[in-house]
Amino acid sequence: MTQPGLKVLKPGILTLVQDLGRFAYQHIGLSPGGAADEHAFLWANRLLNNRSNTPALEICFGGLQLEVLANTNIAITGAEMNATLNNQPIENWQTHTLKLGDKLSFAHASSGIRSYLAIQDGFELQPSFGSVATVMREKIGGIDGYGNPLKADDFLPCSQHKPKLTTHVPPLFIPDYQRSLILSVIPNEQTDQFDEAELEKLYHWTYRISTQSDRMGIRL
């Protein structure tokens, strides 16, 4: 019998395999990595009763297209990418049943940046240093163990499952990605080295995210 899974027809702008990250290896120069939007990642797995660290797809900006070669269940959370199943719109922040031969597509993000696609019991991939989290800079993890994003014709193996009842994330826990954020600042022993006027700027100015930002940090 052919291994069940999802075949990549179009990888989109940037689609990565992620879990919660790679820990206890920083002493040899490996950063933890992991899902950039942990809230959305964790909800995607929770909707399917997966373990919290179960590997999922992190779809950046959109454009992903998949051929379904399994009968299983998925959950979609995070940025709104107007996903479709067999050209029919499907809802974000809930589960869906997939059947053999289905086509699953994501348009481009209209709100937020990253969407998450979790599958029941996760994708069956070989971990590197205890995790499948993709870290492109360090060339580790991901679908092939070398930190590469998905590409056309890649195959994501999974297990078969019967259809399950649809579950949703309660509206209270669905973030508005277009809303401005309020950041908390923790004073430390160096705070008194700044004069009051500079601290007022820090605490009360409005900031924009710089293009000089990446998964390691965000420059304001």
Side-chain angles (χ1 to χ4, degrees):
M1 180 179 177
T2 303
Q3 168 71 48
L6 304 181
K7 180 181 178 182
V8 179
L9 301 177
K10 294 183 179 180
I13 295 174
L14 180 65
T15 303
L16 307 173
V17 176
Q18 294 293 358
D19 55 24
L20 288 176
R22 185 173 287 104
F23 296 95
Y25 293 100
Q26 287 175 280
H27 66 288
I28 60 172
L30 297 180
S31 62
D37 183 349
E38 284 192 4
H39 177 84
F41 173 88
L42 290 168
W43 268 113
N45 277 320
R46 182 170 180 176
L47 288 173
L48 294 164
N49 293 319
N50 289 344
R51 293 186 178 186
S52 60
N53 198 34
T54 301
L57 296 185
E58 181 180 86
I59 307 158
C60 301
F61 301 107
L64 176 67
Q65 294 185 13
L66 300 166
E67 181 181 2
V68 180
L69 302 175
N71 296 307
T72 187
N73 302 287
I74 61 166
I76 299 172
T77 61
E80 178 55 65
M81 293 186 181
N82 302 304
T84 61
L85 184 60
N86 301 323
N87 296 317
Q88 297 300 311
I90 56 176
E91 292 294 322
N92 199 1
W93 297 96
Q94 71 173 50
T95 59
H96 301 278
T97 295
L98 300 183
K99 299 189 298 295
L100 185 68
D102 284 347
K103 297 292 191 303
L104 179 64
S105 301
F106 294 79
H108 297 290
S110 59
S111 175
I113 296 174
R114 296 175 177 90
S115 183
Y116 290 85
L117 167 61
I119 197 163
Q120 190 168 351
D121 285 348
F123 296 106
E124 299 174 355
L125 301 172
Q126 186 66 34
S128 301
F129 293 92
S131 169
V132 299
T134 307
V135 183
M136 296 173 63
R137 182 186 60 192
E138 296 171 3
K139 301 185 185 329
I140 191 170
I143 189 169
D144 58 2
Y146 293 100
N148 289 311
L150 295 192
K151 63 182 185 304
D153 295 326
D154 275 347
F155 183 76
L156 296 151
C158 68
S159 54
Q160 301 263 26
H161 291 279
K162 295 179 180 179
K164 62 177 295 182
L165 293 176
T166 300
T167 54
H168 307 75
V169 175
L172 175 65
F173 299 108
I174 298 177
D176 180 355
Y177 290 111
Q178 295 180 324
R179 185 177 180 180
S180 297
L181 299 176
I182 297 176
L183 301 180
S184 297
V185 177
I186 302 174
N188 64 11
E189 67 275 7
Q190 297 170 326
T191 302
D192 60 6
Q193 297 180 24
F194 296 86
D195 63 39
E196 188 172 334
E198 290 303 314
L199 289 175
E200 283 297 305
K201 290 180 183 178
L202 173 66
Y203 295 148
H204 298 295
W205 274 15
T206 298
Y207 297 87
R208 291 183 181 275
I209 296 176
S210 167
T211 56
Q212 293 178 296
S213 301
D214 57 20
R215 298 180 70 90
M216 180 63 72
I218 294 176
R219 184 185 295 254
L220 302 179

